[in-house]
Amino acid sequence: MSHSDQDPNTQRDPGRTTPQRIVIASAVAAVLVAVGAAIYAAGIFNPIAQSPDRDADRGEQIARQDTERRQAWLAERKEYTADPKATPPSLPVAETGYFIPNDVADAPDNQFGDSVRRGYEIFTNTQTNASQHVGNGMNCANCHLGAGTVPGSAPMWAAAVEYPAFRGKNKIINTMEDRIHGCFTYSMNAQNSPSGSPPPRDGDIYKDLQSFFFYMAEGAPLEGNLPGRGYAVPPEPEDGYSITRGETVFENNCAVCHGTSGEGRRDPNGRWIFPALWGDDSYNWGAGMHRVNTAAGFIKHNMPLGQGGSLTDQQAWDVAAYINSWERPADPRQLRDGLTVAETDERFHEHTPNFYGDEVRGDLLGDGIPGEPTAQQPPSIGAPRHSQQASR
Amino acid sequence: MIKRHAIRLTPLMLLSLAWPVAAQQVDEDLPDESYAAEIYAVEAEDVDPAAYATLAREGEGDVWSCASCHGAKGQGNGNIPRLAGLSTGYIAKQLHAYAEGVRINHNMQYVATKLTDDEMLGLARYYAEMEAPSNAGPALGGDLDRGQELMIHGDWDINVPACYSCHGSSAWGVEQAFPSLAAQQPAYTYAQLAAWTDGRRNNSPLQLMQGISHALSDADRRAVADYLATLPAPPAEEPTP
């Protein structure tokens, strides 16, 4: 039936009184509300009824805004360089307040840019691009998330402007090269690598990594102490921390990725996807992450992956204690100086919260010998899927 | 030894658990989400996948032929997913999820409720051990550069880690719990990313995919679904000796 066929008279009001109309209208409205609520509850239209900001391309918007802010900062800097009386440029910061690093994809097309890109490759795939000096299953980016860009994950744009600096750990002035040397020694367990040591001093690995950090940090003030640096450690809970409670946190929130024995997981290409939390493939007893406080800071802000900030401070401390209460590669300083575990404990592990040299589950931690496996290891669940394919 | 039905939660305990932390059971008849795929994979070691080939290809009685929808080579088509090369544990976990209604899809719920536990395990291994080249390609007009960016780098501004960091360097999956996404049908991938936000899909360990799906815009979902369809298909799972 088309519109022109309609007799306007049939649409006339059949002569109801106003109160009648109100009653009918209210009844109809009530029915509509009920039907609407039922449809809503059934979730049929949820895909289209989502709030508009969820569908907005927020990721792209933020990226665009950050690019604009960096460009504005560049323009200010140019002006100031040309004219010292012009207003000095302010810091390029995102809406979150954090520094906006340069994006590696924008690195210049010259020798420096090449070095930046090589540094990025070393940092994100250390296993392949610095394989001679890596003695475990780690990549730098495993502990410095988002290729060293994420605030609260010890980002490299914040680190780049803080060296040289005196460090209590080795009681000397450390350059950035020293710092990287240290990360290879401890976090990457270089003692067990094909070459047996960190990259040779003054080599390209240091230069490329530093180019990469330096490029990201362009515009950050020297000794700027930028927010987001390091792993902000949550306050130690009043009741301290507990390995037993940590085990429950671990089973419920971590094992799905890192494995029930903290052994990590590889993909069918044999590449490490979930890094090991303890054991031979993990960081050694000299690494910063073996300290309960440092690990609690990292975990609180970054784990479970994609859900940083979801654990309570107590859970972060407990699980940090748990993962650091298992055996891992020896402290290289023990071997270097020919010390016993007890001597190493006294010399290097006294002033921080850690389990080095302690007896846990009847096992002396630090001697590099895991305890009786069946008694010591948490129950393991089945064989890893692609174990035979790893060499493909 | 095997961590079956790890922790039974009372409704009260469930209420007290803030998202997303804590042992997670989406249904009282299903094992903990974190361990389910590995548990099924261990259980499947005892079944012979060859014994379920006919069931998959031709169906039997109430059980529809899987191949009639998923294709003879398990490659899928349109909004019907590729099954070839997904892990045994993941496939079995999804069949149980349909059967218990924690994953909503009329066809698959009907199919899954007709299967016995052993059939689920046998069919899971049958498809996991199948290798078939990709028949997928971009179909949603997604921005492939953005898709690659999400795969390799993620987008930390919206708290999305790289898909790579959980699904593996070639998106071929990681062991049992993290499925392959490579060569998957883009319309299907796109539909799943929506399903986690509208409640049609409630499973996923630690609700990892719920968080990610919520953060991705419609354009992002198209982009990454199309990009994943350009990748080579996963290898067959090694048969258990």
Side-chain angles (χ1 to χ4, degrees):
Chain A
M1 184 171 75
S2 78
H3 267 280
S4 52
D5 297 337
Q6 236 170 19
D7 180 356
N9 292 326
T10 60
Q11 295 187 325
R12 275 245 187 91
D13 184 85
R16 291 192 178 109
T17 64
T18 304
Q20 274 175 325
R21 283 197 204 104
I22 292 175
V23 170
I24 293 170
S26 315
V28 169
V31 168
L32 282 177
V33 167
V35 170
I39 289 177
Y40 180 78
I44 295 171
F45 289 115
N46 277 2
I48 31 181
Q50 283 175 2
S51 64
D53 53 339
R54 183 180 298 160
D55 274 331
D57 225 337
R58 221 161 56 78
E60 208 200 353
Q61 275 168 14
I62 297 172
R64 199 178 322 121
Q65 197 187 48
D66 286 356
T67 310
E68 281 164 12
R69 288 179 180 206
R70 266 209 83 90
Q71 276 163 357
W73 171 84
L74 270 171
E76 279 173 28
R77 184 178 73 172
K78 202 167 159 199
E79 216 171 298
Y80 177 59
T81 306
D83 174 10
K85 296 231 168 59
T87 322
S90 51
L91 211 57
V93 292
E95 208 147 88
T96 52
Y98 290 115
F99 178 76
I100 306 170
N102 257 335
D103 185 344
V104 178
D106 301 331
D109 208 2
N110 55 24
Q111 271 98 334
F112 176 66
D114 291 343
S115 177
V116 170
R117 282 181 284 272
R118 284 194 304 268
Y120 168 85
E121 294 297 335
I122 294 168
F123 197 81
T124 50
N125 191 358
T126 327
Q127 291 283 311
T128 302
N129 298 314
S131 57
Q132 289 307 301
H133 310 287
V134 179
N136 58 16
M138 313 289 293
N139 294 299
C140 306
N142 287 158
C143 302
H144 304 285
L145 268 53
T149 64
V150 174
S153 191
M156 291 303 124
W157 44 260
V161 290
E162 301 293 345
Y163 296 87
F166 180 81
R167 290 190 72 216
K169 181 167 181 171
N170 49 13
K171 303 194 172 54
I172 52 166
I173 299 295
N174 285 236
T175 61
M176 180 55 94
E177 180 171 315
D178 295 329
R179 198 73 174 86
I180 299 171
H181 188 273
C183 281
F184 273 102
T185 308
Y186 304 110
S187 293
M188 313 302 286
N189 196 34
Q191 60 188 349
N192 205 29
S193 67
S195 76
S197 57
R201 291 285 186 175
D202 206 28
D204 284 345
I205 289 180
Y206 297 106
K207 290 178 183 169
D208 292 340
L209 282 170
Q210 291 191 75
S211 296
F212 167 51
F213 301 166
F214 182 76
Y215 178 69
M216 282 202 288
E218 183 184 4
L222 273 180
E223 290 205 71
N225 221 352
L226 291 175
R229 185 182 172 203
Y231 309 120
V233 178
E236 184 176 341
E238 265 175 39
D239 299 337
Y241 45 89
S242 138
I243 296 178
T244 323
R245 280 197 308 262
E247 179 168 14
T248 309
V249 179
F250 179 81
E251 287 179 350
N252 293 346
N253 301 281
C254 321
V256 63
C257 295
H258 291 286
T260 38
S261 306
E263 73 279 23
R265 299 181 199 273
R266 301 174 191 238
D267 71 10
N269 299 318
R271 244 174 106 151
W272 285 100
I273 298 300
F274 301 119
L277 299 183
W278 65 86
D280 290 346
D281 295 313
S282 192
Y283 51 89
N284 68 36
W285 280 112
M289 197 63 88
H290 97 285
R291 298 189 303 253
V292 178
N293 53 349
T294 304
F298 172 83
I299 292 164
K300 171 77 187 180
H301 300 288
N302 300 291
M303 289 292 135
L305 186 71
Q307 299 177 344
S310 66
L311 299 180
T312 63
D313 293 355
Q314 181 75 60
Q315 287 174 314
W317 275 83
D318 289 344
V319 76
Y322 177 71
I323 65 168
N324 284 313
S325 71
W326 294 101
E327 197 50 279
R328 55 180 66 260
D331 186 335
R333 293 166 298 191
Q334 181 202 353
L335 309 177
R336 182 194 64 192
D337 300 349
L339 306 174
T340 63
V341 169
E343 288 162 344
T344 314
D345 191 17
E346 197 189 317
R347 201 172 297 180
F348 299 111
H349 297 264
E350 276 293 272
H351 304 292
T352 57
N354 66 75
F355 294 101
Y356 185 85
D358 293 0
E359 225 183 86
V360 180
R361 303 176 201 90
D363 184 28
L364 174 66
L365 295 177
D367 63 1
I369 308 161
E372 171 63 26
T374 43
Q376 301 294 325
Q377 297 291 317
S380 129
I381 288 178
R385 174 191 173 192
H386 288 290
S387 51
Q388 298 100 322
Q389 284 189 350
S391 53
R392 258 200 197 182
Chain B
M1 209 191 81
I2 291 164
K3 189 166 168 159
R4 226 169 197 292
H5 298 256
I7 299 173
R8 288 268 178 196
L9 293 176
T10 65
L12 199 77
M13 280 166 75
L14 269 177
L15 276 180
S16 68
L17 300 171
W19 185 89
V21 192
Q24 180 201 1
Q25 262 187 306
V26 290
D27 184 281
E28 63 164 13
D29 292 330
L30 298 178
D32 187 301
E33 277 288 293
S34 283
Y35 300 99
E38 286 179 316
I39 291 169
Y40 293 131
V42 172
E43 287 179 0
E45 283 172 12
D46 298 332
V47 303
D48 174 15
Y52 298 89
T54 316
L55 186 62
R57 284 198 290 260
E58 292 161 25
E60 199 183 303
D62 263 354
V63 180
W64 294 350
S65 140
C66 316
S68 66
C69 289
H70 291 277
K73 295 181 184 162
Q75 296 158 308
N77 204 340
N79 61 1
I80 302 172
R82 152 185 286 271
L83 301 178
L86 297 176
S87 64
T88 298
Y90 173 80
I91 296 178
K93 175 172 182 273
Q94 300 310 315
L95 292 172
H96 281 280
Y98 287 122
E100 298 297 335
V102 297
R103 198 176 159 182
I104 309 297
N105 176 271
H106 289 300
N107 284 330
M108 277 312 299
Q109 282 175 277
Y110 178 84
V111 170
T113 47
K114 305 289 180 223
L115 298 173
T116 65
D117 287 2
D118 273 354
E119 284 169 344
M120 290 188 190
L121 296 174
L123 290 167
R125 273 193 64 184
Y126 174 77
Y127 281 111
E129 290 167 20
M130 188 179 261
E131 189 159 327
S134 175
N135 69 344
L140 310 173
D143 174 349
L144 294 179
D145 289 340
R146 171 70 178 164
Q148 184 180 35
E149 176 77 12
L150 286 168
M151 166 68 186
I152 297 175
H153 302 294
D155 186 343
W156 287 97
D157 287 336
I158 52 173
N159 204 25
V160 172
C163 316
Y164 154 77
S165 57
C166 286
H167 290 279
S169 54
S170 305
W172 285 348
V174 180
E175 296 188 4
Q176 293 297 326
F178 299 86
S180 169
L181 306 175
Q184 188 50 281
Q185 303 297 334
Y188 169 78
T189 303
Y190 174 81
Q192 296 312 302
L193 294 172
W196 271 301
T197 64
D198 63 33
R200 276 176 295 138
R201 188 164 178 177
N202 283 321
N203 61 346
S204 158
L206 303 180
Q207 304 204 323
L208 293 167
M209 283 310 298
Q210 275 89 330
I212 288 168
S213 299
H214 270 276
L216 294 178
S217 68
D218 189 70
D220 284 342
R221 292 177 195 162
R222 286 174 199 281
V224 75
D226 269 352
Y227 175 74
L228 291 166
T230 66
L231 300 178
E237 184 172 88
E238 285 298 304
T240 17

